[in-house]
Every structure is written in C-alpha cells, then in structure tokens.
Amino acid sequence: MEYHVLDNGLRLIMNRTEAPTVGIAVGVGIGSIYEDKNMRGGISHFAEHVVYRAHPNIDLEIEGLGGVSDAYTERTLTMYLFEIIPSELENLLRLIYRLLSNRKIDSEDLEKERQVILSEIKMRNDDPGTLIYDLGPKSLFGDSDYGDPVIGTDESVSSIMVKDLMDFLESYYTPDNTVISIWGGPIACQLIR
C-alpha cells in the first residue's frame, strides 16, 4: 500500500492488486457529529445530495465509463464510492473532480433535494427497522452530536438555504479534508502518478 500527501493536503492511498475493476473511495472529513452548532442538523447529508444533484446525469456518465457509484453520510464522514474498468480511470478522476469542486447550487435543485430528504426522513420514521438506527444512538447519547440523527429533522432540513450549503462546501470540501483511496491493478495506479 502506498500513502501520499499532495501539496494541497489531499491524502492519497493506493493499493495495487490484480482485479478486473478499480475501486475509488473519496472520504470527506465531515459528518453529523462535526456539524458546527450554528449549522443546521443534517447539512452534511444534504451536501452529499447536492453534490450529486449538480450533475443530474452522473449515474449515466459513470455507467457509460463502465462503472457504478454510491454515496453515504455517517456521523464521522461523508463517503463517495466508485468502481470502474481500469481503462476509464482517468475519465472517472476528472468526473470526481467536477463533482467535488462544484460550488454552484441552483435553488430549484436545492428544493428538489430537500423534498427527497424530507421523504427519506418520513420513510425512516415510518419503518421501525430503519428508525432504530436513529433511536439507538439517541437513547445512548441523548441530545448530543452523537444522539442527533445524521439525516437531520424535518425542521433542520427545511431551514437549510443555498448560502448555508455553499458556505459548508467551501469550508469542508477541501483537499486537506479529503482522502482518496484507490484499489486496483498496477496499470491503474500508474495512471495516478
């Protein structure tokens, strides 16, 4: 395994292995427990949605490169996952850069994602198996950062505005707060050099 810190602070971990695909995990060091008290609860999760919303055809673009993607937010981080065929690695890296460096948020897109997240909150609250994911930490940690739901609440998500998200991305989606891990064959890792 190789570990590099680039001049801009971005940490890069590469593991060379024989595999038919290359996996890339992009971790951003912000999750719900690190949300400043002045932030709205669930803003880390909202930002994850907005990053993808800025590129409405992202899934099709990644499929066109022979890959798949996923993303999730936890209490300690936000993670973006990609798997691609090795020959398309350079194109995927360009796409990841566009995703994570975008700071333009359209108010119409923000409202669409707000409705998606509010729907997710409703579904979570209606499903005991999923709701326990929030109730367990709440019962252990109470009204603390660890007890708050990662996804936020109806009230907190409804109060997040475009400027809140733009400021959030500018503050936390930075190279020195990001780790990229690449797991793939020797050819894929040579492309990174």
mmCIF file of all heavy atoms in Angstrom, residues 65-85:
data_model
loop_
_atom_site.group_PDB
_atom_site.id
_atom_site.type_symbol
_atom_site.label_atom_id
_atom_site.label_comp_id
_atom_site.label_asym_id
_atom_site.label_seq_id
_atom_site.Cartn_x
_atom_site.Cartn_y
_atom_site.Cartn_z
ATOM 1 N N LEU A 65 -18.912 4.903 -18.480
ATOM 2 C CA LEU A 65 -17.495 4.587 -18.296
ATOM 3 C C LEU A 65 -17.302 3.146 -17.828
ATOM 4 O O LEU A 65 -16.195 2.736 -17.510
ATOM 5 C CB LEU A 65 -16.868 5.541 -17.267
ATOM 6 C CG LEU A 65 -16.875 7.027 -17.608
ATOM 7 C CD1 LEU A 65 -16.338 7.841 -16.436
ATOM 8 C CD2 LEU A 65 -16.061 7.293 -18.867
ATOM 9 N N GLY A 66 -18.405 2.395 -17.762
ATOM 10 C CA GLY A 66 -18.312 1.007 -17.312
ATOM 11 C C GLY A 66 -18.266 0.875 -15.810
ATOM 12 O O GLY A 66 -17.684 -0.070 -15.281
ATOM 13 N N GLY A 67 -18.877 1.822 -15.097
ATOM 14 C CA GLY A 67 -18.771 1.814 -13.648
ATOM 15 C C GLY A 67 -20.082 1.996 -12.914
ATOM 16 O O GLY A 67 -21.146 2.108 -13.521
ATOM 17 N N VAL A 68 -19.970 2.019 -11.594
ATOM 18 C CA VAL A 68 -21.098 2.265 -10.698
ATOM 19 C C VAL A 68 -20.636 3.210 -9.594
ATOM 20 O O VAL A 68 -19.436 3.367 -9.355
ATOM 21 C CB VAL A 68 -21.645 0.949 -10.077
ATOM 22 C CG1 VAL A 68 -22.257 0.070 -11.135
ATOM 23 C CG2 VAL A 68 -20.557 0.215 -9.314
ATOM 24 N N SER A 69 -21.600 3.824 -8.901
ATOM 25 C CA SER A 69 -21.236 4.730 -7.809
ATOM 26 C C SER A 69 -22.280 4.676 -6.708
ATOM 27 O O SER A 69 -23.406 4.210 -6.915
ATOM 28 C CB SER A 69 -21.098 6.163 -8.315
ATOM 29 O OG SER A 69 -22.360 6.691 -8.666
ATOM 30 N N ASP A 70 -21.894 5.177 -5.553
ATOM 31 C CA ASP A 70 -22.787 5.270 -4.404
ATOM 32 C C ASP A 70 -22.209 6.336 -3.476
ATOM 33 O O ASP A 70 -21.042 6.724 -3.606
ATOM 34 C CB ASP A 70 -22.875 3.918 -3.679
ATOM 35 C CG ASP A 70 -24.072 3.832 -2.744
ATOM 36 O OD1 ASP A 70 -24.916 4.757 -2.749
ATOM 37 O OD2 ASP A 70 -24.158 2.852 -1.989
ATOM 38 N N ALA A 71 -23.013 6.799 -2.550
ATOM 39 C CA ALA A 71 -22.549 7.780 -1.568
ATOM 40 C C ALA A 71 -23.373 7.622 -0.301
ATOM 41 O O ALA A 71 -24.511 7.165 -0.344
ATOM 42 C CB ALA A 71 -22.696 9.202 -2.113
ATOM 43 N N TYR A 72 -22.773 7.989 0.823
ATOM 44 C CA TYR A 72 -23.492 7.969 2.091
ATOM 45 C C TYR A 72 -22.819 8.914 3.083
ATOM 46 O O TYR A 72 -21.659 9.275 2.926
ATOM 47 C CB TYR A 72 -23.581 6.552 2.672
ATOM 48 C CG TYR A 72 -22.247 5.898 2.975
ATOM 49 C CD1 TYR A 72 -21.628 6.057 4.208
ATOM 50 C CD2 TYR A 72 -21.613 5.114 2.018
ATOM 51 C CE1 TYR A 72 -20.415 5.458 4.484
ATOM 52 C CE2 TYR A 72 -20.404 4.503 2.290
ATOM 53 C CZ TYR A 72 -19.805 4.675 3.524
ATOM 54 O OH TYR A 72 -18.596 4.082 3.796
ATOM 55 N N THR A 73 -23.595 9.311 4.075
ATOM 56 C CA THR A 73 -23.099 10.181 5.138
ATOM 57 C C THR A 73 -23.282 9.457 6.461
ATOM 58 O O THR A 73 -24.322 8.847 6.699
ATOM 59 C CB THR A 73 -23.876 11.514 5.167
ATOM 60 O OG1 THR A 73 -23.770 12.132 3.877
ATOM 61 C CG2 THR A 73 -23.316 12.456 6.217
ATOM 62 N N GLU A 74 -22.264 9.539 7.301
ATOM 63 C CA GLU A 74 -22.313 8.960 8.638
ATOM 64 C C GLU A 74 -22.031 10.057 9.658
ATOM 65 O O GLU A 74 -21.884 11.218 9.311
ATOM 66 C CB GLU A 74 -21.271 7.842 8.762
ATOM 67 C CG GLU A 74 -21.581 6.634 7.924
ATOM 68 C CD GLU A 74 -20.608 5.498 8.178
ATOM 69 O OE1 GLU A 74 -19.575 5.703 8.861
ATOM 70 O OE2 GLU A 74 -20.883 4.389 7.696
ATOM 71 N N ARG A 75 -21.910 9.654 10.889
ATOM 72 C CA ARG A 75 -21.620 10.621 11.940
ATOM 73 C C ARG A 75 -20.223 11.229 11.802
ATOM 74 O O ARG A 75 -19.996 12.362 12.184
ATOM 75 C CB ARG A 75 -21.785 9.958 13.308
ATOM 76 C CG ARG A 75 -23.237 9.786 13.678
ATOM 77 C CD ARG A 75 -23.451 9.025 14.979
ATOM 78 N NE ARG A 75 -24.845 9.119 15.390
ATOM 79 C CZ ARG A 75 -25.840 8.474 14.801
ATOM 80 N NH1 ARG A 75 -25.604 7.679 13.771
ATOM 81 N NH2 ARG A 75 -27.083 8.630 15.225
ATOM 82 N N THR A 76 -19.272 10.482 11.245
ATOM 83 C CA THR A 76 -17.888 10.950 11.208
ATOM 84 C C THR A 76 -17.373 11.327 9.824
ATOM 85 O O THR A 76 -16.293 11.905 9.724
ATOM 86 C CB THR A 76 -16.944 9.879 11.783
ATOM 87 O OG1 THR A 76 -17.115 8.679 11.026
ATOM 88 C CG2 THR A 76 -17.238 9.627 13.250
ATOM 89 N N LEU A 77 -18.094 11.005 8.763
ATOM 90 C CA LEU A 77 -17.588 11.293 7.419
ATOM 91 C C LEU A 77 -18.687 11.225 6.379
ATOM 92 O O LEU A 77 -19.777 10.739 6.634
ATOM 93 C CB LEU A 77 -16.482 10.301 7.041
ATOM 94 C CG LEU A 77 -16.832 8.810 7.007
ATOM 95 C CD1 LEU A 77 -17.442 8.398 5.693
ATOM 96 C CD2 LEU A 77 -15.592 7.991 7.281
ATOM 97 N N THR A 78 -18.337 11.732 5.195
ATOM 98 C CA THR A 78 -19.183 11.576 4.016
ATOM 99 C C THR A 78 -18.342 10.827 2.998
ATOM 100 O O THR A 78 -17.187 11.174 2.759
ATOM 101 C CB THR A 78 -19.629 12.936 3.455
ATOM 102 O OG1 THR A 78 -20.326 13.638 4.491
ATOM 103 C CG2 THR A 78 -20.545 12.771 2.258
ATOM 104 N N MET A 79 -18.926 9.780 2.409
ATOM 105 C CA MET A 79 -18.160 8.894 1.533
ATOM 106 C C MET A 79 -18.807 8.803 0.154
ATOM 107 O O MET A 79 -20.023 8.682 0.034
ATOM 108 C CB MET A 79 -18.099 7.503 2.163
ATOM 109 C CG MET A 79 -17.221 6.531 1.436
ATOM 110 S SD MET A 79 -15.462 6.922 1.519
ATOM 111 C CE MET A 79 -15.103 6.463 3.206
ATOM 112 N N TYR A 80 -17.962 8.876 -0.858
ATOM 113 C CA TYR A 80 -18.370 8.701 -2.249
ATOM 114 C C TYR A 80 -17.603 7.496 -2.786
ATOM 115 O O TYR A 80 -16.376 7.456 -2.680
ATOM 116 C CB TYR A 80 -18.050 9.950 -3.070
ATOM 117 C CG TYR A 80 -18.773 11.173 -2.571
ATOM 118 C CD1 TYR A 80 -18.214 11.970 -1.571
ATOM 119 C CD2 TYR A 80 -20.018 11.522 -3.081
ATOM 120 C CE1 TYR A 80 -18.890 13.081 -1.092
ATOM 121 C CE2 TYR A 80 -20.689 12.644 -2.609
ATOM 122 C CZ TYR A 80 -20.119 13.414 -1.614
ATOM 123 O OH TYR A 80 -20.775 14.515 -1.131
ATOM 124 N N LEU A 81 -18.312 6.507 -3.339
ATOM 125 C CA LEU A 81 -17.704 5.264 -3.792
ATOM 126 C C LEU A 81 -17.907 5.079 -5.289
ATOM 127 O O LEU A 81 -19.003 5.338 -5.808
ATOM 128 C CB LEU A 81 -18.317 4.076 -3.050
ATOM 129 C CG LEU A 81 -18.253 4.150 -1.525
ATOM 130 C CD1 LEU A 81 -19.118 3.074 -0.913
ATOM 131 C CD2 LEU A 81 -16.818 4.035 -1.054
ATOM 132 N N PHE A 82 -16.865 4.614 -5.954
ATOM 133 C CA PHE A 82 -16.918 4.403 -7.396
ATOM 134 C C PHE A 82 -16.199 3.096 -7.733
ATOM 135 O O PHE A 82 -15.209 2.751 -7.091
ATOM 136 C CB PHE A 82 -16.211 5.549 -8.139
ATOM 137 C CG PHE A 82 -16.722 6.903 -7.771
ATOM 138 C CD1 PHE A 82 -16.160 7.611 -6.719
ATOM 139 C CD2 PHE A 82 -17.768 7.477 -8.480
ATOM 140 C CE1 PHE A 82 -16.633 8.870 -6.371
ATOM 141 C CE2 PHE A 82 -18.248 8.739 -8.128
ATOM 142 C CZ PHE A 82 -17.678 9.431 -7.073
ATOM 143 N N GLU A 83 -16.695 2.416 -8.738
ATOM 144 C CA GLU A 83 -15.995 1.255 -9.274
ATOM 145 C C GLU A 83 -16.035 1.388 -10.785
ATOM 146 O O GLU A 83 -17.082 1.699 -11.370
ATOM 147 C CB GLU A 83 -16.659 -0.037 -8.832
ATOM 148 C CG GLU A 83 -15.877 -1.260 -9.227
ATOM 149 C CD GLU A 83 -16.462 -2.553 -8.692
ATOM 150 O OE1 GLU A 83 -17.450 -2.495 -7.940
ATOM 151 O OE2 GLU A 83 -15.927 -3.608 -9.041
ATOM 152 N N ILE A 84 -14.903 1.158 -11.419
ATOM 153 C CA ILE A 84 -14.757 1.459 -12.842
ATOM 154 C C ILE A 84 -13.837 0.437 -13.495
ATOM 155 O O ILE A 84 -13.027 -0.184 -12.805
ATOM 156 C CB ILE A 84 -14.198 2.900 -12.999
ATOM 157 C CG1 ILE A 84 -14.379 3.443 -14.407
ATOM 158 C CG2 ILE A 84 -12.763 2.993 -12.600
ATOM 159 C CD1 ILE A 84 -15.723 4.038 -14.605
ATOM 160 N N ILE A 85 -13.935 0.306 -14.807
ATOM 161 C CA ILE A 85 -12.951 -0.516 -15.501
ATOM 162 C C ILE A 85 -11.655 0.295 -15.600
ATOM 163 O O ILE A 85 -11.691 1.515 -15.748
ATOM 164 C CB ILE A 85 -13.462 -0.982 -16.888
ATOM 165 C CG1 ILE A 85 -13.837 0.210 -17.774
ATOM 166 C CG2 ILE A 85 -14.631 -1.943 -16.729
ATOM 167 C CD1 ILE A 85 -14.233 -0.169 -19.189
#
